[in-house]
Amino acid sequence: MSFINLDKVIGKLRNPNNSIFERKEAAKLLSQSGSDAAVDALIDFLPDPTLRLDVVIALGRLAKPKALKYLLTTLFDSVDEVKLEIIRAIRKIGDSK
């Protein structure tokens, strides 16, 4: 169970006026929530190259199967560091089943 205000943290991630640091921290907090809503919010930011690595790490920590197809799609459009984290995230999702 998480004690974060999910709506507030998702809002922090989505707000383009927040610093990149604040948005990355929001992704990290969402990874601790265990929430499907967090997965949905994070998936929206996979296309953003400035947040992609943090989002992939967060999705890996959440290890929710619904993220799998989005991670696979992103795998082919990412730099090596992100590809490695996507593979780790996919492995965590497989281990959680």
Side-chain angles (χ1 to χ4, degrees):
M1 176 186 246
S2 175
F3 296 103
I4 67 169
N5 180 331
L6 200 59
D7 291 333
K8 185 175 181 179
V9 176
I10 290 172
K12 191 172 272 197
L13 177 67
R14 288 194 170 138
N15 186 343
N17 294 322
N18 286 333
S19 71
I20 192 66
F21 175 78
E22 289 174 301
R23 296 173 79 201
K24 288 180 176 201
E25 186 62 28
K28 184 177 178 181
L29 284 171
L30 289 174
S31 77
Q32 300 167 10
S33 73
S35 165
D36 285 338
V39 173
D40 293 336
L42 289 164
I43 286 169
D44 289 343
F45 289 91
L46 280 172
D48 184 336
T50 60
L51 292 171
R52 185 175 294 156
L53 179 61
D54 299 275
V55 167
V56 168
I57 291 169
L59 289 171
R61 287 182 182 148
L62 286 164
K64 300 280 187 176
K66 75 186 294 183
L68 188 59
K69 70 179 177 181
Y70 300 99
L71 289 168
L72 288 170
T73 301
T74 306
L75 180 64
F76 302 104
D77 188 28
S78 297
V79 296
D80 289 344
E81 181 182 16
V82 175
K83 286 179 182 179
L84 181 59
E85 288 301 328
I86 290 172
I87 291 166
R88 287 182 180 144
I90 291 169
R91 187 178 302 150
K92 288 178 186 177
I93 292 169
D95 290 346
S96 72
K97 289 185 178 183

